[in-house]
Amino acid sequence: MPKRLKIDFGAITDNNVEMLRKVNAACFPISYNDNFYKDVVARKNEGLNKFAYFGGFVIGAVCTRLEPLPGDESRKRLYIMTLGVLAAYRGREVGTQLIESVLKYYEENKNDRFEEVDEIALHVQISNDDAIKFYTERFDFVRGDMVENYYRRIDPPHCYLLYKTLQ
């Protein structure tokens, strides 16, 4: 089994956001619009949005946002918009370390900044067995309901909501 890579984390900024665009293009079957990248930079939150570096090169990234919890607007959830690792570095726990770092940031701030946060969640295409297994087996996420026609330009268009209760 390949060894866990020792990675460094770094902020996503105006100066390097094009690297995020390249990582996403290499990792995902959909393209994200300019507003996605502008919003990530505008958040200025390295705890929730960051690059993974190995040997000085970007090899992955995670982008997360805080949003209202559906069904209870007084509560919030962390929503993982993207988690991508370049193919050559998969299986070396880069994605694991990125998610661990987001969860650690939550734990460090759960009594103040994230006091209203109840869960962490994401949508995963129903055919993406590797991602479903990654989140459910490694991080104890629950596979929730299938959302039909969530994606417009990829097949299959359906996804599952994966979530994990945090408090």
Side-chain angles (χ1 to χ4, degrees):
M1 177 153 173
K3 289 186 179 179
R4 180 179 178 115
L5 283 183
K6 169 90 173 86
I7 60 170
D8 296 308
F9 300 116
I12 300 169
T13 68
D14 270 329
N15 296 331
N16 63 17
V17 72
E18 285 304 311
M19 290 304 302
L20 178 60
R21 194 180 298 267
K22 289 180 194 297
V23 168
N24 287 350
C27 294
F28 304 114
I30 60 173
S31 60
Y32 292 87
N33 64 34
D34 289 340
N35 286 337
F36 172 87
Y37 297 99
K38 288 177 186 171
D39 290 347
V40 168
V41 170
R43 284 189 194 93
K44 296 183 178 174
N45 189 332
E46 190 178 340
L48 297 179
N49 302 287
K50 63 186 79 177
F51 285 121
Y53 287 92
F54 179 70
F57 295 98
V58 172
I59 62 167
V62 64
C63 296
T64 311
R65 71 175 177 238
L66 199 55
E67 65 180 28
L69 187 64
D72 186 352
E73 298 293 311
S74 69
R75 306 301 297 168
K76 298 196 179 334
R77 73 177 175 191
L78 292 174
Y79 183 78
I80 302 169
M81 299 180 293
T82 61
L83 171 66
V85 177
L86 297 178
Y89 298 94
R90 292 182 192 150
R92 304 289 301 273
E93 298 191 21
V94 175
T96 298
Q97 291 175 76
L98 283 163
I99 295 299
E100 285 172 348
S101 73
V102 168
L103 292 172
K104 180 180 178 203
Y105 182 71
Y106 162 78
E107 284 295 325
E108 292 169 349
N109 294 279
K110 70 180 179 183
N111 293 323
D112 48 79
R113 177 160 190 241
F114 295 137
E115 188 174 7
E116 298 174 339
V117 174
D118 291 335
E119 73 178 25
I120 185 167
L122 72 153
H123 289 93
V124 176
Q125 190 177 20
I126 61 169
S127 61
N128 192 343
D129 294 330
D130 289 341
I132 293 166
K133 183 178 175 183
F134 172 80
Y135 286 103
T136 58
E137 292 183 8
R138 212 167 278 203
F139 292 102
D140 297 321
F141 277 62
V142 173
R143 189 180 87 185
D145 294 335
M146 183 177 74
V147 180
E148 292 190 16
N149 299 311
Y150 182 80
Y151 299 108
R152 285 182 252 160
R153 296 183 184 96
I154 58 175
D155 191 48
H158 316 307
C159 71
Y160 292 116
L161 176 68
L162 303 183
Y163 63 93
K164 177 179 179 162
T165 301
L166 294 173
Q167 298 208 25

